[in-house]
Amino acid sequence: MMSLRSLVQVVFLASLVLTHSASAAERWTIPLTERNWQDIKVPGIAENRYQIRDQVLKVQSDNSVSFRYFKLPASIQRPDFVSWSWKVDSFSEVVPQTVAGRDDRPLAIHIWFDDGSDKSLFGNLGTLFGYPKVGHLLTYVWGADDAVGSVLQNPHYEKGKLIILVGDQGKTGEWSKVTRDIVRDYRRAFGTSPDMSDLRYIAVSADSDDLDGHSVGAVRSLSLKSSNRLAAKASNSGTQ
């Protein structure tokens, strides 16, 4: 027969396993291969040049702009953190991001939500080209003449917000790692909580067409993570 001390030890170990299982985060690495990504062209403007090699996505922009995007598979369930590493090797200049027609940037990461919108990024023309439908969107910017950490209105899209991560003092040629709490950033940007099941796409872009500029940048180690806090919150709400 099991002693009282042994029984206490078993119960304690079991509680540790249950706690670990409930709090364990899930992480998904986004594959950086040519077959997994698609391009979005801006009508009437030259495209960026993208190259994927050894799990690094390189983007060169020469008086051009375009997006390369990845559609998240159904197996990625309600992620709330995004991580990546990025660097910019060269750029012409950094400018404020709130004036349409003068808002070039050497590198950006975009989080796109399909929250019931019937619009693509370029309206009816984008729908004709088969571009994905996008509702709210967050854009993380490398290189801007705006305060680092500021949240700005996207001048091209009513439901879009820009978050400046690197300002005019960004160092070229150096990789830096970024981890962002998507839920927190969304709340700061839009004043409400997102439904993370609406997260559909991640995109990378550079923009140099407004000021006849040039930039070279790269992204690697792109991943999403679910901390399970959203599931835990829903569970707790259901028991009250």
Side-chain angles (χ1 to χ4, degrees):
M1 180 177 295
M2 183 180 296
S3 67
L4 178 59
R5 180 178 179 181
S6 298
L7 181 60
V8 170
Q9 289 176 334
V10 169
V11 171
F12 175 71
L13 291 173
S15 68
L16 288 180
V17 172
L18 290 173
T19 301
H20 174 74
S21 299
S23 62
E26 294 181 88
R27 183 181 296 276
W28 302 274
T29 299
I30 305 300
L32 286 171
T33 60
E34 292 288 353
R35 69 178 182 273
N36 295 111
W37 292 71
Q38 301 180 62
D39 291 340
I40 292 181
K41 308 172 185 179
V42 179
I45 302 177
E47 299 175 59
N48 298 327
R49 284 180 285 177
Y50 295 93
Q51 181 184 55
I52 297 179
R53 180 179 297 173
D54 298 328
Q55 294 293 309
V56 175
L57 171 57
K58 180 180 178 180
V59 52
Q60 180 171 331
S61 188
D62 295 290
N63 191 21
S64 60
V65 61
S66 60
F67 302 83
R68 180 160 283 196
Y69 74 94
F70 175 81
K71 183 176 182 180
L72 301 181
S75 59
I76 297 181
Q77 296 291 321
R78 299 173 66 82
D80 49 349
F81 285 85
V82 60
S83 299
W84 70 87
S85 292
W86 59 0
K87 69 170 180 172
V88 169
D89 291 322
S90 64
F91 61 91
S92 299
E93 61 180 315
V94 295
V95 294
Q97 295 294 295
T98 56
V99 179
R102 294 190 59 83
D103 56 334
D104 287 350
R105 62 184 75 102
L107 196 57
I109 301 290
H110 309 267
I111 305 294
W112 292 345
F113 293 83
D114 180 7
D115 44 14
S117 175
D118 59 354
K119 298 179 181 179
S120 74
L121 289 180
F122 304 106
N124 293 334
L125 191 57
T127 302
L128 180 65
F129 289 164
Y131 293 164
K133 290 182 171 59
V134 176
H136 290 82
L137 62 89
L138 292 172
T139 296
Y140 297 105
V141 178
W142 196 112
D145 190 14
D146 300 284
V148 173
S150 58
V151 178
L152 308 174
Q153 176 62 44
N154 187 319
H156 302 279
Y157 195 72
E158 181 182 0
K159 294 183 177 180
K161 297 290 185 178
L162 311 172
I163 299 179
I164 310 304
L165 299 188
V166 180
D168 58 2
Q169 301 299 315
K171 294 182 179 179
T172 58
E174 296 184 4
W175 286 103
S176 59
K177 184 175 180 179
V178 178
T179 298
R180 301 299 302 187
D181 183 332
I182 304 172
V183 174
R184 181 183 179 190
D185 285 341
Y186 190 103
R187 287 172 180 160
R188 287 183 62 211
F190 301 109
T192 186
S193 297
D195 183 345
M196 295 308 296
S197 64
D198 290 333
L199 178 54
R200 291 287 187 276
Y201 308 95
I202 291 182
V204 176
S205 76
D207 187 339
S208 64
D209 68 300
D210 293 326
L211 303 174
D212 193 18
H214 164 85
S215 65
V216 177
V219 176
R220 69 183 184 188
S221 303
L222 184 57
S223 67
L224 291 166
K225 184 181 76 171
S226 171
S227 66
N228 286 332
R229 64 176 173 177
L230 300 177
K233 183 177 179 180
S235 177
N236 292 336
S237 298
T239 58
Q240 292 177 354

